[in-house]
Amino acid sequence: MPQAILHDYYRSSASYRVRIALNIKGVEYERRPVNLLEGQQQSDEYRALNPQGFVPMLEIDGHRLVQSLAIINYLDLRFPTPPLIPTPAAERAHVVAMAMMVACDIHPLNNLRVLKYLKNELGHSQEEVDAWYAHWISEGLPALETFAAPRAGTFLFGDAPTAADVCLVPQLFNARRFNVPLDGYPTLVRADENANRLEAFAAAHPDRQEVPQ
């Protein structure tokens, strides 16, 4: 029996993060895909479970957990080995800051509901929506590169993956989908390449998930 149930969408960045974290922690889980393109996240059935109507949502230990960073924090406390967030205060702040640069600064501006609003309600063309997406990635990654480089190793912080890498990998997947050049971010690209060599990251990739019908 799985230890957890993950409600997610295969190409959702936030869901991708949680799949990686679950894999790193060795937590068995059942995926229950929620088709964002079809609006299943807004259904009465799903909102009865998660009033915010977002993915991911993780059912574990009798709890329904939402928000990817909160879920990752829960998993790190519940299953402490291997750690995703360091214990020393300054190191913890550094790793959490890098995770938040992606999860709080870049990603929300490019969330599907924002892109749909730009196109449908505000009448922007697909070309304009794609340009919006690429702009906010290109604005956010330089700061992350500069912030990470002095303390990076094999990964964004040292030589073991942290929550920062868990957030980075889905973001660079999206950057490549929208043809955002990554040549100027050697630290980020190196960490991404090393992370994707690990099965915990590779198994979470959207291409290896069931696509909702």
Side-chain angles (χ1 to χ4, degrees):
M1 293 291 292
Q3 289 178 259
I5 296 171
L6 177 64
H7 303 259
D8 79 343
Y9 180 66
Y10 79 113
R11 225 158 49 184
S12 155
S13 296
S15 298
Y16 191 172
R17 295 172 203 146
V18 172
R19 292 196 300 267
I20 294 169
L22 287 165
N23 293 344
I24 290 174
K25 296 297 185 178
V27 178
E28 294 184 6
Y29 64 96
E30 173 191 338
R31 282 189 68 236
R32 292 191 181 172
V34 178
N35 193 330
L36 301 188
L37 297 181
E38 297 296 326
Q40 288 181 358
Q41 72 278 18
Q42 301 299 332
S43 69
D44 291 341
E45 180 182 9
Y46 186 69
R47 280 189 173 272
L49 300 175
N50 177 5
Q52 196 174 22
F54 291 170
V55 293
M57 179 182 69
L58 182 68
E59 296 189 68
I60 188 171
D61 297 334
H63 306 295
R64 290 176 182 153
L65 307 179
V66 300
Q67 294 292 336
S68 62
L69 293 186
I71 295 171
I72 290 168
N73 187 62
Y74 178 91
L75 293 173
D76 211 40
L77 293 171
R78 176 70 174 78
F79 307 97
T81 304
L84 288 174
I85 305 172
T87 300
E91 294 180 5
R92 187 178 187 87
H94 181 69
V95 167
V96 170
M98 289 191 289
M100 292 179 72
M101 286 181 186
V102 174
C104 301
D105 294 336
I106 301 173
H107 173 245
L109 289 160
N110 288 336
N111 191 280
L112 179 61
R113 64 189 183 126
V114 173
L115 303 182
K116 290 175 71 174
Y117 185 77
L118 286 170
K119 186 172 184 179
N120 297 333
E121 279 75 13
L122 298 184
H124 288 281
S125 67
Q126 187 62 52
E127 183 179 32
E128 290 171 326
V129 172
D130 290 350
W132 166 282
Y133 197 109
H135 169 80
W136 293 113
I137 294 178
S138 298
E139 180 161 299
L141 292 185
L144 181 58
E145 170 73 23
T146 301
F147 195 80
R151 305 179 73 178
T154 307
F155 298 96
L156 283 186
F157 179 72
D159 294 320
T162 68
D165 303 286
V166 170
C167 291
L168 172 71
V169 167
Q171 188 59 67
L172 292 198
F173 167 78
N174 286 338
R176 293 184 178 101
R177 281 184 61 218
F178 285 83
N179 300 310
V180 176
L182 299 176
D183 297 344
Y185 316 117
T187 305
L188 307 186
V189 170
R190 181 180 71 243
D192 176 71
E193 290 176 349
N194 289 326
N196 279 306
R197 292 190 181 101
L198 302 178
E199 180 60 14
F201 284 81
H205 193 282
D207 289 350
R208 289 179 60 174
Q209 312 310 309
E210 175 190 352
V211 178
Q213 302 300 317

